[in-house]
Each structure stands twice: as C-alpha cells, then as structure tokens.
Amino acid sequence: MKKVLGIILGGGAGTRLYPLTKFRAKPAVPLAGKYRLIDIPVSNCINSEIFKIYVLTQFNSASLNRHLARTYSFAGFTEGFVEVLAPQKTPSSSNWFQGTADAVRQYQWLFEDWDDIDEYLILSGDHLYRMDYRQFVQRHRETGADVTLSVVPMKERGASEFGLIKIDDSGKVISFSEKPKGEALKKMAVDTTVLGLDAEQAKEKPYIASMGIYVFKKQVLLDLLKQSKDQTDFGKEILPSALDSYNIQAYLFDDYWEDIGTIEAFYDSNLALTQQPKPPFSFYDEEAPIYTRSRYLPPSKLLNCQISQSMVGEGCILKDCRIVNSVLGVRSRVESGCNIEDTLIMGSDFYEPYAERQSDCSDGPVSLGIGANTTVRRAIIDKNAHIGCDVKIINKDNVEEADREDQGFYIRSGIVVVLKNAVIADGTTI
C-alpha cells in the first residue's frame, strides 16, 4: 500500500449536523464518548497500511487541526503523515472548495508531485464503518479499472435516499441515478451476485448505493479533473460523465456502514453502540482498532449509581444517579438524583476547580455537567454544557423541529440538542 495516497474529504459545512457543527468541522464532531468522526477513516487507513493521508477541510477547522496534530504523529524515519489541507489563494484559484472534486482539484499540484504513487484513495469524513482498504485496492488492480467505487447492497426500502449505481455482468458501472423514486428506482435493480452476494442476499438487497469512496488511477484522476473544470462533485458530475470513456468498476462492501450526516442518524448510531449482545459496530476489535487522542485521564468514579446498557468514557464522576441506554463522554459529571435515558452526553474539555466537590444547588453560577435531580431523555448534550438542578429535558410537547439558540438548544427530529457551552438554568423544562 506504499503506492496509495489517502485523501479524506471533510470540507462540507455540515449543515445537516448543525448545531453540532456550530463550533467545529463535521469530521471533528465527537463520537462514542471519546472519538471523533475523523478517527474512523484515518484508523481504517492505518489498519490498511496506508500511512500517507491528507485531510481536506475548510469550515471551523481549528479543533480538527488540533485533534489530528495531537493524535497522529508518525516516527520521523517513516514517510507517514496525517496533514490538514485548507483552501488557500493560489495563482489558479482563490475560492473556497466548491465540492468534493473541486477540493481535490485545488490541491492537484500537490498530489501530482508524489512520483511514487499509483492510486489515490478518496474517502469521506462522516461515515461509521470498518473497512480493509487493501481488499478494495486489490479489486481495483485485478479488474484493471480506471476508477473503482465502493458500494453497499440496499433493500428497496430506503434505497431512494442514496445515489444508486447500475452494473453489468462483469461489475462495470453502466449508469448512476441520484435518489431515484418510483419507476426510476425499479430500473436501478441489479444482480448483486455478480459482486459476491449469495442468491438469497441478492434477492433481499437488489440495489447498490455508492459509499462516496473511490480508488482512482493516478493519471486518470488528474486527467478527469483537467477535462471537467466546471464540474465540482465526483458522484454527481465527474463520474457519470466519465462512464463512456473509462472503465469504472464497483466493489461490494457487505458490512455495517452508516452515513451519519444528520442529527437523527448521528444520535441513532451512537446509541446503537450500547446494544447487547452485539452492536452493529464495535470499538473492541483488536485486529483493527480505532485510534484517537490519548488524554491520560483518571478512571471514572461511580458512586452508588444504577447503570444499564450504557457506555461511560474516562474521567467521569457519577453520583447516585440512574443511567439507561446512554453514552457518556470523557469528563462527564452527573449529580445525585439524576435520571438519564436514551441520551448522548459528550462530556467536557476540562474540569472545574474542585472537581470532586459536593453536589451544589446553591444560588451561584450553574456548575459544569448535569445538576442534581435533573431528568434527560432522548437528547444530545454537547460539550461543556452547564445544566442546572431540577431541570427536565424531555421534549414534553413532542416537538419535531425547533430553533431555540438563544435558550441554548435546538430540536431536530424530536431530539433535543443542547449547544456546546450552553447554560440551562435551574428548574428549566424543555
């Protein structure tokens, strides 16, 4: 894999994940209590022996830059690196990235300089999955493809939410369709046994959706970017227009894959990690670990707590509380009498002075964490939130969508999202 260059696209504004992307780039959004979204593709690269990795981003990238610099440092005698590339003014361009292809095009001069590279691996920064890219690249080489797309098999229900691909009997891509419905959807059904599914699976999942992950031959990518200067997106423009001129193949990935680009999908994916006996995605795989920043935090302290089907990060202090089907991030603090259900608490970036203080519901400032006798259900609590005592975050009116930024929260798909650094006063009911 020394001849493969990894390029991770993380430049989108992340509007569907707002307000989690208010202060951070989409790939920097915390995941599973201690990780960030960017850790998934970077770890997959490292586990696949791909050590030359660029990350393209442009919105709120400070926390992403900081996380990558603190986490991924390869020894000086190797060629390995994880480097952030942001838009910059050059003689040929002075614009923000206009799309996935335009982001790569603006740094084409840099990628072109790698003389010992044969393939470019283009990845997305907001998916949850574990994949050995070596098999992906091997399939690309064996078929002699100019471009290979990674695809997932889909049932009819939900297939119309994705960009679908049609293949011939050899696995060659012959057409694309973006979120087809009705008769257009029916026409995109394919025989997925061509890609390796057995007959029963192929009957159950007759559609294949693009994962937004590609392997390009080096010269093919450079040529496509030069030929199509007005086209800014790989999946919607460049690849469909290249079908007649290039050998574009499909590679089937038949395992867990989730696009977590919306609040609801992000929430569901996090809570699914608590499922028993086997969650759809596991962070406990020794053969292919997911890496993240080492924080050297103390162990979590649980004082007379009732906790079921939940994950608790390091450095937490939980007192006499009930926690059910929830994920608690690093440095989370939950005071006595609290009831936390179906909730993602991202934790904190720091401890307040006297972190091991007694529960305090005095008239002073609201402390960091979840105050005493508070109930939280079906919510996402972003980092460094100060939630007072006797608060109820339960969406009591079953509101589906609401923007209450001035009050410190949003509601998305019925999920209450408390903003980073928000302060929710004692006795508040949401």
Side-chain angles (χ1 to χ4, degrees), residues 25-47:
K26 185 164 54 172
V29 172
L31 172 74
K34 64 175 291 181
Y35 304 92
R36 293 180 185 260
L37 292 180
I38 192 64
D39 291 327
I40 302 299
V42 173
S43 297
N44 283 337
C45 282
I46 292 171
N47 294 330

Side-chain angles (χ1 to χ4, degrees), residues 206-345:
Y207 300 95
I208 52 175
S210 172
M211 295 171 63
I213 297 174
Y214 318 105
V215 178
F216 286 85
K217 281 184 178 176
K218 179 179 180 179
Q219 196 56 49
V220 169
L221 177 62
L222 299 177
D223 290 345
L224 285 172
L225 292 176
K226 289 174 182 175
Q227 293 165 10
S228 52
K229 291 187 177 179
D230 295 332
Q231 297 178 342
T232 60
D233 191 89
F234 283 119
K236 295 176 183 176
E237 297 173 312
I238 286 186
L239 292 178
S241 65
L243 282 176
D244 295 334
S245 307
Y246 293 90
N247 178 15
I248 302 178
Q249 291 279 331
Y251 168 80
L252 189 77
F253 177 70
D254 187 23
D255 206 340
Y256 178 81
W257 171 79
E258 189 66 48
D259 179 350
I260 44 183
T262 67
I263 291 292
E264 186 173 24
F266 176 79
Y267 171 84
D268 290 340
S269 297
N270 274 274
L271 292 199
L273 299 171
T274 69
Q275 289 179 11
Q276 292 297 328
K278 187 179 178 183
F281 183 89
S282 174
F283 284 90
Y284 296 86
D285 187 336
E286 291 186 7
E287 299 297 318
I290 304 299
Y291 303 98
T292 193
R293 176 187 164 200
S294 297
R295 292 180 175 83
Y296 310 109
L297 290 170
S300 288
K301 184 180 290 188
L302 285 63
L303 307 173
N304 195 28
C305 301
Q306 179 187 343
I307 301 177
S308 62
Q309 199 165 318
S310 297
M311 296 171 65
V312 180
E314 315 104 288
C316 299
I317 300 176
L318 316 179
K319 299 181 180 180
D320 193 21
C321 56
R322 176 176 174 269
I323 297 172
V324 179
N325 190 38
S326 296
V327 177
L328 276 62
V330 295
R331 302 187 192 88
S332 289
R333 184 181 180 97
V334 180
E335 300 291 357
S336 60
C338 288
N339 189 0
I340 311 294
E341 296 180 25
D342 306 325
T343 291
L344 168 61
I345 298 175

Side-chain angles (χ1 to χ4, degrees), residues 406-421:
D406 57 332
Q407 298 173 41
F409 71 93
Y410 279 71
I411 299 177
R412 293 284 179 263
S413 303
I415 302 160
V416 179
V417 184
V418 176
L419 296 173
K420 184 178 181 181
N421 304 319

